[in-house]
Amino acid sequence: MSVLLLLAIILALSGLAFILGRARSISKVSGNIRDLHSLPGYYGWHTALTVLFPSIVVLVLWLVIQPMVLSNGAAKFFPEATRADSVALTLALDDARRVSRGLDAMIANGSKSEAEIAALDTATTDVRALLAEVNVALGSDVSAESLDAAKYMRAASHSGGFWMALAVMAVAGVGLIFGLSQVHPEFRARNRVEKAVLGLLILASSIAILTTVGIVWSMLSESISFFKMYPAGEFFFGLTWSPNFSGGSTLGFLPLLWGTLYITFVAIIVAVPLGLFTAIYLAEYASPKLRSWIKPLIEIIAGIPTVVFGLFALVTVGPILRDYFAQPLGLGTSGSSVMTAGIVIGILNIPFISSLADDIINSVPQSLRDGSFGLGATRSETVRQVILPAALPGIVGAVLLATSRAIGETMIVTMGAGAAAKLSLNPFEAMTTMTVKIVGQLTGDTDFASPETLVAFALGITLFVLTLGLNILALYIVRKYREQYE
Amino acid sequence: MKDQQIEERAVTAHTPRITARKVNVHYGTSHALKDVDVDILANTVTAFIGPSGCGKSTFLRCLNRMNDTVASAKVTGEILLDGENIYDPRVDPVRLRAKVGMVFQKPNPFPKSIYDNVAYGPKIHGLTRNKAELDEVVESCLRKAALWNEVKDRLDAPGTGLSGGQQQRLCIARAVATAPEVLLMDEPCSALDPIATAQVEELIDELRSQFSVVIVTHSMQQAARVSQKTAFFHLGNLVEFGKTEDLFTNPKDPRTESYITGRIG
């Protein structure tokens, strides 16, 4: 029985439990609902939860544990030497698993019967060719042990599936009976259901946190293996970045950090004034009708994929900057440059800042504007001296969020600033950022045992720490001004 | 002493600062204020009373063109400040509001320090030449608002950190610092407790020596306590306007009598 079908059955059963639980609570008080502690619906929900929750737990546990048990059982078919080496054992088990899937496929398309499968023997038949017919490709001929293990896995997983269905349904049934037996007028069904909902909310919020922890952990473990191969001092303080996949690379991280910070700086210089001025115009000066047109138009920019922005940088901004600024000023002949990428990322961030800042400015109470106008202040004095200071914490938060986005931007940098890691002050020179190099080091044939590949993880975790630091700074600033103003 | 006061009042009673004639206000299709004629006299506290929605706040906001910020409001008629029509296209509402200051119902200190709140008006209007002069203005205005002793040691603290009554007195100090000729107050005590209310009322009485004060209030006792002239508004009409003691003791219009005796409103 498939897991999906089983899930459907559990859901149907809990639906039934809801109806039964609800009906039972009403009949307990012979229709006089006011005698119940909770509304009848809560009794229904509680009964449904006593069906759903334990059976899902059993299902999930079974799905996690069964493959482990199967692998342990199948390992017995392989010789001692294979079992001693964990890598060889994993490979052998993977093969056996693939063979067992192939056997299933043969049954499914009718080319072999159960009896024929049981009689299969590597000595008399070419199992590899048979498997190839059902689109299961193997790297080598199937060994006798592998076939035996596969047969065992098939049998065990079939009976496992049967027992799992039985166990889950038994738990669901017990849950239903238990849930129904709990229904009586004094039972506090509402409190129980609300507790369950609370649990669900906590679970939902913890998943995001756990994901972050998982990301950090996976990057950290790879970074540690990188630093075992490559000295951390040379990575963090090295002034040259020249990876060489045949060995002997110099992986100095400073040129990348410099490129990242330089491009981000240019982007913020472009985005903050333009975004902020847009927001002030929209929030304080534009008529409501005009605003309802301009705001969505600006926000269209936010919907353009960054690759398209990259094209814009490559074919328009880059050449213009080169022909009209870089070459006349004698600052270089490169179309891809820090300025190109920075300006385009800045434009990308304008709607982000303007939209956030517009909302923040709008949330400044009207009474402050009235107070200022009432003292004979002009609109511009009011904006500069009352509105902006009041909105400052939110605006700083918006700017730092935009900074994080600029730091993480990859596509525009790849197309607009090139891929040359350089330490230079000239903004019209091609440079590159950490994110571009992370992609660069991980694309193509990768060998996860070489420092050239693993450096991507070290860069990743550094980037993570960098943006985390920015976010903490943002929180600190916001909190500081909150204390002062509220 | 008492004779002297009466004499003073008699002298000043004949110099109107603001003269409003046939003022009508429309908010979209609703006619909020109908043909209102009022004279605001110098060195006098004028109270506007009436039930909610009677137009008293609307009229108050006409006097410094705060209704300009409401897009749907349309004001017709004539309001003269010292003989000049404030709705004349040549009049800059910004300069007008510097002359006709306003204190609002809810205390609305700016998110700045106490000092900067009071210094706001003098700074934007360039009323002082140097820091020392500004310090002097801030101190004298805080003294006038009876707040100096409470805040003199923490002028750098945020104005929003004060209590409700202190915040309102700060707002009054802020309005006074702009050196207006007329001070409009829109229910300045409605968010305050009785003690703070008493302080503000005392303050209003002191301010009378320098400004004309117009106060909108829901409390008839307050109107009786602080004002010399009272206007009663009802459903957008100015029903009765006269000396406070006359209006409360000997109302001419039956609607005024019903209101002040608590039968309508």
Side-chain angles (χ1 to χ4, degrees), chain A residues 164-204:
Chain A
M164 176 178 76
L166 205 66
V168 168
M169 288 210 272
V171 168
V174 170
L176 177 60
I177 293 165
F178 173 75
L180 286 177
S181 76
Q182 292 261 303
V183 176
H184 53 82
E186 294 85 46
F187 177 64
R188 303 186 170 189
R190 173 164 39 85
N191 306 22
R192 288 285 191 87
V193 172
E194 279 170 0
K195 218 167 244 177
V197 172
L198 177 69
L200 189 73
L201 298 180
I202 291 173
L203 187 74

mmCIF file of all heavy atoms in Angstrom, chain A residues 164-204:
data_model
loop_
_atom_site.group_PDB
_atom_site.id
_atom_site.type_symbol
_atom_site.label_atom_id
_atom_site.label_comp_id
_atom_site.label_asym_id
_atom_site.label_seq_id
_atom_site.Cartn_x
_atom_site.Cartn_y
_atom_site.Cartn_z
ATOM 1 N N MET A 164 3.466 -1.715 8.133
ATOM 2 C CA MET A 164 3.348 -0.278 8.424
ATOM 3 C C MET A 164 1.888 0.167 8.292
ATOM 4 O O MET A 164 1.349 0.824 9.178
ATOM 5 C CB MET A 164 4.213 0.534 7.455
ATOM 6 C CG MET A 164 4.063 2.042 7.625
ATOM 7 S SD MET A 164 5.122 2.969 6.537
ATOM 8 C CE MET A 164 4.254 2.785 5.000
ATOM 9 N N ALA A 165 1.257 -0.243 7.184
ATOM 10 C CA ALA A 165 -0.141 0.138 6.975
ATOM 11 C C ALA A 165 -0.992 -0.358 8.132
ATOM 12 O O ALA A 165 -1.839 0.366 8.669
ATOM 13 C CB ALA A 165 -0.639 -0.432 5.654
ATOM 14 N N LEU A 166 -0.719 -1.603 8.518
ATOM 15 C CA LEU A 166 -1.509 -2.202 9.596
ATOM 16 C C LEU A 166 -1.310 -1.406 10.900
ATOM 17 O O LEU A 166 -2.273 -1.059 11.589
ATOM 18 C CB LEU A 166 -1.064 -3.656 9.784
ATOM 19 C CG LEU A 166 -2.099 -4.582 10.393
ATOM 20 C CD1 LEU A 166 -3.276 -4.747 9.433
ATOM 21 C CD2 LEU A 166 -1.478 -5.938 10.721
ATOM 22 N N ALA A 167 -0.030 -1.148 11.212
ATOM 23 C CA ALA A 167 0.266 -0.455 12.466
ATOM 24 C C ALA A 167 -0.355 0.936 12.478
ATOM 25 O O ALA A 167 -0.991 1.346 13.461
ATOM 26 C CB ALA A 167 1.787 -0.347 12.646
ATOM 27 N N VAL A 168 -0.209 1.657 11.374
ATOM 28 C CA VAL A 168 -0.732 3.023 11.332
ATOM 29 C C VAL A 168 -2.242 3.015 11.502
ATOM 30 O O VAL A 168 -2.807 3.809 12.266
ATOM 31 C CB VAL A 168 -0.314 3.714 10.010
ATOM 32 C CG1 VAL A 168 -1.078 5.003 9.826
ATOM 33 C CG2 VAL A 168 1.168 3.967 9.991
ATOM 34 N N MET A 169 -2.889 2.067 10.799
ATOM 35 C CA MET A 169 -4.348 2.043 10.893
ATOM 36 C C MET A 169 -4.815 1.613 12.281
ATOM 37 O O MET A 169 -5.824 2.110 12.784
ATOM 38 C CB MET A 169 -4.922 1.151 9.803
ATOM 39 C CG MET A 169 -4.768 1.847 8.460
ATOM 40 S SD MET A 169 -6.002 1.462 7.288
ATOM 41 C CE MET A 169 -5.316 0.042 6.521
ATOM 42 N N ALA A 170 -4.044 0.690 12.893
ATOM 43 C CA ALA A 170 -4.404 0.264 14.244
ATOM 44 C C ALA A 170 -4.310 1.453 15.192
ATOM 45 O O ALA A 170 -5.216 1.707 15.992
ATOM 46 C CB ALA A 170 -3.475 -0.856 14.702
ATOM 47 N N VAL A 171 -3.200 2.237 15.066
ATOM 48 C CA VAL A 171 -3.028 3.400 15.939
ATOM 49 C C VAL A 171 -4.165 4.389 15.712
ATOM 50 O O VAL A 171 -4.734 4.947 16.653
ATOM 51 C CB VAL A 171 -1.654 4.053 15.687
ATOM 52 C CG1 VAL A 171 -1.576 5.405 16.357
ATOM 53 C CG2 VAL A 171 -0.561 3.151 16.184
ATOM 54 N N ALA A 172 -4.517 4.580 14.418
ATOM 55 C CA ALA A 172 -5.596 5.516 14.111
ATOM 56 C C ALA A 172 -6.902 5.047 14.747
ATOM 57 O O ALA A 172 -7.650 5.844 15.329
ATOM 58 C CB ALA A 172 -5.756 5.654 12.598
ATOM 59 N N GLY A 173 -7.159 3.743 14.645
ATOM 60 C CA GLY A 173 -8.396 3.187 15.220
ATOM 61 C C GLY A 173 -8.422 3.379 16.723
ATOM 62 O O GLY A 173 -9.429 3.831 17.294
ATOM 63 N N VAL A 174 -7.288 3.042 17.382
ATOM 64 C CA VAL A 174 -7.220 3.210 18.841
ATOM 65 C C VAL A 174 -7.438 4.678 19.193
ATOM 66 O O VAL A 174 -8.171 5.019 20.127
ATOM 67 C CB VAL A 174 -5.865 2.705 19.375
ATOM 68 C CG1 VAL A 174 -5.682 3.095 20.831
ATOM 69 C CG2 VAL A 174 -5.756 1.204 19.209
ATOM 70 N N GLY A 175 -6.819 5.560 18.387
ATOM 71 C CA GLY A 175 -6.971 6.986 18.619
ATOM 72 C C GLY A 175 -8.422 7.411 18.530
ATOM 73 O O GLY A 175 -8.908 8.211 19.344
ATOM 74 N N LEU A 176 -9.126 6.860 17.554
ATOM 75 C CA LEU A 176 -10.540 7.213 17.377
ATOM 76 C C LEU A 176 -11.357 6.808 18.603
ATOM 77 O O LEU A 176 -12.131 7.598 19.153
ATOM 78 C CB LEU A 176 -11.081 6.524 16.118
ATOM 79 C CG LEU A 176 -12.562 6.721 15.830
ATOM 80 C CD1 LEU A 176 -12.892 8.191 15.637
ATOM 81 C CD2 LEU A 176 -12.985 5.930 14.596
ATOM 82 N N ILE A 177 -11.115 5.554 19.049
ATOM 83 C CA ILE A 177 -11.881 5.066 20.205
ATOM 84 C C ILE A 177 -11.545 5.886 21.445
ATOM 85 O O ILE A 177 -12.416 6.333 22.192
ATOM 86 C CB ILE A 177 -11.575 3.563 20.437
ATOM 87 C CG1 ILE A 177 -12.122 2.766 19.264
ATOM 88 C CG2 ILE A 177 -12.175 3.082 21.753
ATOM 89 C CD1 ILE A 177 -11.587 1.369 19.185
ATOM 90 N N PHE A 178 -10.221 6.153 21.625
ATOM 91 C CA PHE A 178 -9.793 6.939 22.775
ATOM 92 C C PHE A 178 -10.419 8.331 22.743
ATOM 93 O O PHE A 178 -10.963 8.817 23.731
ATOM 94 C CB PHE A 178 -8.267 7.042 22.784
ATOM 95 C CG PHE A 178 -7.733 7.975 23.834
ATOM 96 C CD1 PHE A 178 -7.721 7.606 25.173
ATOM 97 C CD2 PHE A 178 -7.254 9.241 23.490
ATOM 98 C CE1 PHE A 178 -7.252 8.468 26.128
ATOM 99 C CE2 PHE A 178 -6.787 10.114 24.452
ATOM 100 C CZ PHE A 178 -6.785 9.717 25.778
ATOM 101 N N GLY A 179 -10.347 8.944 21.543
ATOM 102 C CA GLY A 179 -10.888 10.290 21.396
ATOM 103 C C GLY A 179 -12.370 10.335 21.719
ATOM 104 O O GLY A 179 -12.846 11.231 22.432
ATOM 105 N N LEU A 180 -13.101 9.364 21.211
ATOM 106 C CA LEU A 180 -14.551 9.347 21.459
ATOM 107 C C LEU A 180 -14.844 9.116 22.937
ATOM 108 O O LEU A 180 -15.765 9.694 23.502
ATOM 109 C CB LEU A 180 -15.215 8.269 20.605
ATOM 110 C CG LEU A 180 -15.342 8.607 19.118
ATOM 111 C CD1 LEU A 180 -15.940 7.442 18.361
ATOM 112 C CD2 LEU A 180 -16.167 9.859 18.910
ATOM 113 N N SER A 181 -14.002 8.257 23.578
ATOM 114 C CA SER A 181 -14.261 7.958 25.001
ATOM 115 C C SER A 181 -14.016 9.204 25.857
ATOM 116 O O SER A 181 -14.530 9.314 26.962
ATOM 117 C CB SER A 181 -13.358 6.815 25.465
ATOM 118 O OG SER A 181 -12.047 7.305 25.657
ATOM 119 N N GLN A 182 -13.207 10.139 25.340
ATOM 120 C CA GLN A 182 -12.917 11.347 26.118
ATOM 121 C C GLN A 182 -14.075 12.345 26.106
ATOM 122 O O GLN A 182 -14.103 13.259 26.924
ATOM 123 C CB GLN A 182 -11.687 12.046 25.522
ATOM 124 C CG GLN A 182 -10.414 11.285 25.682
ATOM 125 C CD GLN A 182 -9.619 11.812 26.851
ATOM 126 O OE1 GLN A 182 -9.287 12.973 26.916
ATOM 127 N NE2 GLN A 182 -9.341 10.954 27.795
ATOM 128 N N VAL A 183 -14.955 12.207 25.122
ATOM 129 C CA VAL A 183 -16.007 13.215 24.952
ATOM 130 C C VAL A 183 -17.021 13.137 26.087
ATOM 131 O O VAL A 183 -17.752 12.151 26.194
ATOM 132 C CB VAL A 183 -16.709 13.039 23.595
ATOM 133 C CG1 VAL A 183 -17.862 14.023 23.479
ATOM 134 C CG2 VAL A 183 -15.732 13.221 22.461
ATOM 135 N N HIS A 184 -17.012 14.086 26.986
ATOM 136 C CA HIS A 184 -18.099 14.253 27.944
ATOM 137 C C HIS A 184 -18.180 15.731 28.311
ATOM 138 O O HIS A 184 -17.231 16.480 28.076
ATOM 139 C CB HIS A 184 -17.932 13.338 29.168
ATOM 140 C CG HIS A 184 -16.606 13.453 29.837
ATOM 141 N ND1 HIS A 184 -16.298 14.427 30.734
ATOM 142 C CD2 HIS A 184 -15.478 12.726 29.690
ATOM 143 C CE1 HIS A 184 -15.051 14.284 31.132
ATOM 144 N NE2 HIS A 184 -14.527 13.261 30.506
ATOM 145 N N PRO A 185 -19.293 16.179 28.853
ATOM 146 C CA PRO A 185 -19.537 17.626 28.968
ATOM 147 C C PRO A 185 -18.459 18.385 29.713
ATOM 148 O O PRO A 185 -18.183 19.540 29.373
ATOM 149 C CB PRO A 185 -20.864 17.709 29.722
ATOM 150 C CG PRO A 185 -21.528 16.425 29.454
ATOM 151 C CD PRO A 185 -20.463 15.393 29.289
ATOM 152 N N GLU A 186 -17.805 17.774 30.727
ATOM 153 C CA GLU A 186 -16.813 18.545 31.489
ATOM 154 C C GLU A 186 -15.465 18.586 30.791
ATOM 155 O O GLU A 186 -14.577 19.323 31.211
ATOM 156 C CB GLU A 186 -16.616 17.961 32.898
ATOM 157 C CG GLU A 186 -17.825 18.068 33.783
ATOM 158 C CD GLU A 186 -18.760 16.913 33.550
ATOM 159 O OE1 GLU A 186 -18.289 15.771 33.500
ATOM 160 O OE2 GLU A 186 -19.974 17.157 33.381
ATOM 161 N N PHE A 187 -15.296 17.755 29.757
ATOM 162 C CA PHE A 187 -13.984 17.679 29.118
ATOM 163 C C PHE A 187 -13.638 18.995 28.433
ATOM 164 O O PHE A 187 -14.439 19.540 27.675
ATOM 165 C CB PHE A 187 -13.965 16.522 28.109
ATOM 166 C CG PHE A 187 -12.678 16.407 27.356
ATOM 167 C CD1 PHE A 187 -11.502 16.104 28.036
ATOM 168 C CD2 PHE A 187 -12.617 16.615 25.996
ATOM 169 C CE1 PHE A 187 -10.315 16.010 27.366
ATOM 170 C CE2 PHE A 187 -11.424 16.533 25.316
ATOM 171 C CZ PHE A 187 -10.272 16.223 26.000
ATOM 172 N N ARG A 188 -12.416 19.516 28.689
ATOM 173 C CA ARG A 188 -12.059 20.834 28.155
ATOM 174 C C ARG A 188 -11.444 20.704 26.764
ATOM 175 O O ARG A 188 -10.235 20.865 26.572
ATOM 176 C CB ARG A 188 -11.079 21.525 29.096
ATOM 177 C CG ARG A 188 -11.655 21.651 30.481
ATOM 178 C CD ARG A 188 -10.764 22.452 31.382
ATOM 179 N NE ARG A 188 -11.477 22.737 32.619
ATOM 180 C CZ ARG A 188 -11.038 23.564 33.527
ATOM 181 N NH1 ARG A 188 -9.909 24.185 33.335
ATOM 182 N NH2 ARG A 188 -11.735 23.766 34.616
ATOM 183 N N ALA A 189 -12.303 20.412 25.814
ATOM 184 C CA ALA A 189 -11.821 20.155 24.458
ATOM 185 C C ALA A 189 -11.186 21.399 23.846
ATOM 186 O O ALA A 189 -10.174 21.319 23.158
ATOM 187 C CB ALA A 189 -12.968 19.676 23.589
ATOM 188 N N ARG A 190 -11.785 22.574 24.121
ATOM 189 C CA ARG A 190 -11.255 23.801 23.508
ATOM 190 C C ARG A 190 -9.802 24.039 23.922
ATOM 191 O O ARG A 190 -8.943 24.306 23.081
ATOM 192 C CB ARG A 190 -12.134 24.996 23.913
ATOM 193 C CG ARG A 190 -11.572 26.317 23.469
ATOM 194 C CD ARG A 190 -12.576 27.442 23.518
ATOM 195 N NE ARG A 190 -13.449 27.396 24.674
ATOM 196 C CZ ARG A 190 -13.145 27.894 25.867
ATOM 197 N NH1 ARG A 190 -11.978 28.468 26.067
ATOM 198 N NH2 ARG A 190 -13.998 27.807 26.862
ATOM 199 N N ASN A 191 -9.536 23.863 25.225
ATOM 200 C CA ASN A 191 -8.180 24.108 25.700
ATOM 201 C C ASN A 191 -7.190 23.159 25.026
ATOM 202 O O ASN A 191 -6.093 23.550 24.638
ATOM 203 C CB ASN A 191 -8.099 23.931 27.217
ATOM 204 C CG ASN A 191 -9.118 24.785 27.925
ATOM 205 O OD1 ASN A 191 -10.114 25.171 27.331
ATOM 206 N ND2 ASN A 191 -8.880 25.081 29.190
ATOM 207 N N ARG A 192 -7.612 21.878 24.897
ATOM 208 C CA ARG A 192 -6.723 20.902 24.254
ATOM 209 C C ARG A 192 -6.453 21.280 22.799
ATOM 210 O O ARG A 192 -5.309 21.271 22.353
ATOM 211 C CB ARG A 192 -7.364 19.510 24.286
ATOM 212 C CG ARG A 192 -7.380 18.867 25.645
ATOM 213 C CD ARG A 192 -5.970 18.366 25.982
ATOM 214 N NE ARG A 192 -6.019 17.517 27.155
ATOM 215 C CZ ARG A 192 -6.255 16.208 27.104
ATOM 216 N NH1 ARG A 192 -6.484 15.620 25.945
ATOM 217 N NH2 ARG A 192 -6.280 15.487 28.205
ATOM 218 N N VAL A 193 -7.525 21.629 22.090
ATOM 219 C CA VAL A 193 -7.362 21.946 20.661
ATOM 220 C C VAL A 193 -6.491 23.182 20.506
ATOM 221 O O VAL A 193 -5.596 23.239 19.655
ATOM 222 C CB VAL A 193 -8.740 22.161 19.993
ATOM 223 C CG1 VAL A 193 -8.563 22.684 18.573
ATOM 224 C CG2 VAL A 193 -9.514 20.861 19.978
ATOM 225 N N GLU A 194 -6.727 24.165 21.383
ATOM 226 C CA GLU A 194 -5.922 25.381 21.268
ATOM 227 C C GLU A 194 -4.453 25.107 21.567
ATOM 228 O O GLU A 194 -3.559 25.691 20.968
ATOM 229 C CB GLU A 194 -6.475 26.473 22.188
ATOM 230 C CG GLU A 194 -7.661 27.158 21.516
ATOM 231 C CD GLU A 194 -8.432 28.079 22.426
ATOM 232 O OE1 GLU A 194 -8.052 28.208 23.605
ATOM 233 O OE2 GLU A 194 -9.428 28.654 21.950
ATOM 234 N N LYS A 195 -4.223 24.172 22.479
ATOM 235 C CA LYS A 195 -2.840 23.807 22.770
ATOM 236 C C LYS A 195 -2.201 23.157 21.541
ATOM 237 O O LYS A 195 -1.037 23.404 21.224
ATOM 238 C CB LYS A 195 -2.804 22.853 23.973
ATOM 239 C CG LYS A 195 -1.619 23.118 24.870
ATOM 240 C CD LYS A 195 -1.757 22.413 26.188
ATOM 241 C CE LYS A 195 -1.863 23.400 27.321
ATOM 242 N NZ LYS A 195 -2.067 22.750 28.616
ATOM 243 N N ALA A 196 -2.993 22.306 20.871
ATOM 244 C CA ALA A 196 -2.475 21.645 19.670
ATOM 245 C C ALA A 196 -2.147 22.673 18.591
ATOM 246 O O ALA A 196 -1.109 22.583 17.923
ATOM 247 C CB ALA A 196 -3.500 20.632 19.148
ATOM 248 N N VAL A 197 -3.025 23.663 18.447
ATOM 249 C CA VAL A 197 -2.769 24.713 17.450
ATOM 250 C C VAL A 197 -1.509 25.489 17.812
ATOM 251 O O VAL A 197 -0.668 25.780 16.960
ATOM 252 C CB VAL A 197 -3.979 25.666 17.349
ATOM 253 C CG1 VAL A 197 -3.637 26.858 16.467
ATOM 254 C CG2 VAL A 197 -5.164 24.931 16.781
ATOM 255 N N LEU A 198 -1.357 25.761 19.119
ATOM 256 C CA LEU A 198 -0.155 26.455 19.583
ATOM 257 C C LEU A 198 1.090 25.669 19.201
ATOM 258 O O LEU A 198 2.082 26.212 18.716
ATOM 259 C CB LEU A 198 -0.233 26.647 21.098
ATOM 260 C CG LEU A 198 0.979 27.299 21.754
ATOM 261 C CD1 LEU A 198 1.075 28.751 21.341
ATOM 262 C CD2 LEU A 198 0.889 27.192 23.267
ATOM 263 N N GLY A 199 1.011 24.336 19.424
ATOM 264 C CA GLY A 199 2.127 23.482 19.060
ATOM 265 C C GLY A 199 2.451 23.588 17.578
ATOM 266 O O GLY A 199 3.615 23.678 17.181
ATOM 267 N N LEU A 200 1.408 23.628 16.759
ATOM 268 C CA LEU A 200 1.589 23.742 15.310
ATOM 269 C C LEU A 200 2.303 25.045 14.963
ATOM 270 O O LEU A 200 3.227 25.067 14.140
ATOM 271 C CB LEU A 200 0.217 23.685 14.633
ATOM 272 C CG LEU A 200 0.227 23.588 13.120
ATOM 273 C CD1 LEU A 200 0.662 22.194 12.705
ATOM 274 C CD2 LEU A 200 -1.152 23.884 12.564
ATOM 275 N N LEU A 201 1.884 26.122 15.636
ATOM 276 C CA LEU A 201 2.500 27.431 15.357
ATOM 277 C C LEU A 201 3.973 27.416 15.735
ATOM 278 O O LEU A 201 4.827 27.921 15.004
ATOM 279 C CB LEU A 201 1.769 28.532 16.132
ATOM 280 C CG LEU A 201 0.294 28.735 15.804
ATOM 281 C CD1 LEU A 201 -0.286 29.852 16.643
ATOM 282 C CD2 LEU A 201 0.112 29.041 14.337
ATOM 283 N N ILE A 202 4.270 26.811 16.903
ATOM 284 C CA ILE A 202 5.665 26.763 17.340
ATOM 285 C C ILE A 202 6.489 25.936 16.356
ATOM 286 O O ILE A 202 7.594 26.314 15.971
ATOM 287 C CB ILE A 202 5.751 26.171 18.763
ATOM 288 C CG1 ILE A 202 5.135 27.153 19.759
ATOM 289 C CG2 ILE A 202 7.188 25.876 19.140
ATOM 290 C CD1 ILE A 202 5.014 26.603 21.149
ATOM 291 N N LEU A 203 5.917 24.816 15.913
ATOM 292 C CA LEU A 203 6.603 23.956 14.958
ATOM 293 C C LEU A 203 6.934 24.739 13.691
ATOM 294 O O LEU A 203 8.064 24.713 13.188
ATOM 295 C CB LEU A 203 5.718 22.758 14.621
ATOM 296 C CG LEU A 203 6.361 21.687 13.756
ATOM 297 C CD1 LEU A 203 7.355 20.901 14.579
ATOM 298 C CD2 LEU A 203 5.309 20.767 13.172
ATOM 299 N N ALA A 204 5.937 25.480 13.197
ATOM 300 C CA ALA A 204 6.137 26.238 11.957
ATOM 301 C C ALA A 204 7.265 27.241 12.110
ATOM 302 O O ALA A 204 8.122 27.362 11.233
ATOM 303 C CB ALA A 204 4.843 26.949 11.568
#
